[in-house]
Amino acid sequence: MSMHVVVATDGSKQSLAAARHLRALAAPEALSAVTVLAVVRPLAAVSFVDELSGTGREDAASSVASFRDAAKASIDVIAAVFDGWGPKVHRKVRSGSPANEIIKVAEQVDAGLVVVASGGRGLSDRVLLGSTAQRVQQYAPCPVLVVRPAPKRRRA
């Protein structure tokens, strides 16, 4: 039996780490597809920060088009984690509340797992940490893997 996995990205390095974590844990033959999802919040002061693509969109103008471009660039970086791995990779950019849109996509694709990052830097402190990850975990129609960052080492 194979499952469809939704991997949510907010453009943070932690969301890239979450995608890599999924690849390290899952057997590709157990997955039918992976949907990489980014949610743009058009009315937010900071809608989407792209820490991944190297295009310098962290300071993008506050237009919905630039937010969508940043989201697409981040999706491409996350999707590249799964290149040549096995399951088909789909890319989606949605607009709205991140938790609501992640849950809706999980329902639409009949996901068997949702992967989200928690506790990263950049936007994931504001978007995927806490309320979004909690809401997805609480209301998703399937299990949710919340990937926390590795603890920072203390210097003696």
Side-chain angles (χ1 to χ4, degrees):
M1 185 165 138
S2 62
M3 75 172 120
H4 193 131
V5 177
V6 174
V7 178
T9 180
D10 61 355
S12 70
K13 292 176 184 172
Q14 182 58 28
S15 65
L16 177 59
R20 289 178 175 153
H21 200 74
L22 170 66
R23 183 170 169 155
L25 288 176
E29 60 275 4
L31 307 181
S32 58
V34 173
T35 294
V36 181
L37 170 67
V39 180
V40 176
R41 299 175 64 185
L43 301 178
V46 179
S47 179
F48 201 90
V49 175
D50 176 13
E51 296 178 344
L52 302 177
S53 71
T55 59
R57 294 195 189 269
E58 294 87 353
D59 299 317
S62 61
S63 74
V64 173
S66 64
F67 292 152
R68 288 187 78 76
D69 290 344
K72 287 177 184 176
S74 293
I75 286 172
D76 289 342
V77 172
I78 300 293
V81 168
F82 305 108
D83 282 350
W85 187 50
K88 181 173 174 71
V89 178
H90 306 278
R91 294 166 168 88
K92 288 187 184 284
V93 176
R94 300 286 290 258
S95 181
S97 160
N100 291 345
E101 294 305 317
I102 293 166
I103 292 164
K104 282 181 193 174
V105 169
E107 290 169 345
Q108 289 168 355
V109 302
D110 194 24
L113 179 69
V114 173
V115 178
V116 294
S118 177
R121 294 179 6 202
L123 252 198
S124 63
D125 284 338
R126 294 182 288 270
V127 176
L128 286 183
L129 174 64
S131 65
T132 298
Q134 280 182 328
R135 287 190 64 213
V136 171
Q137 200 171 1
Q138 190 171 11
Y139 297 108
C142 60
V144 177
L145 173 62
V146 179
V147 179
R148 296 181 44 85
K152 293 183 180 181
R153 299 178 103 181
R154 292 185 177 224
R155 294 185 181 188

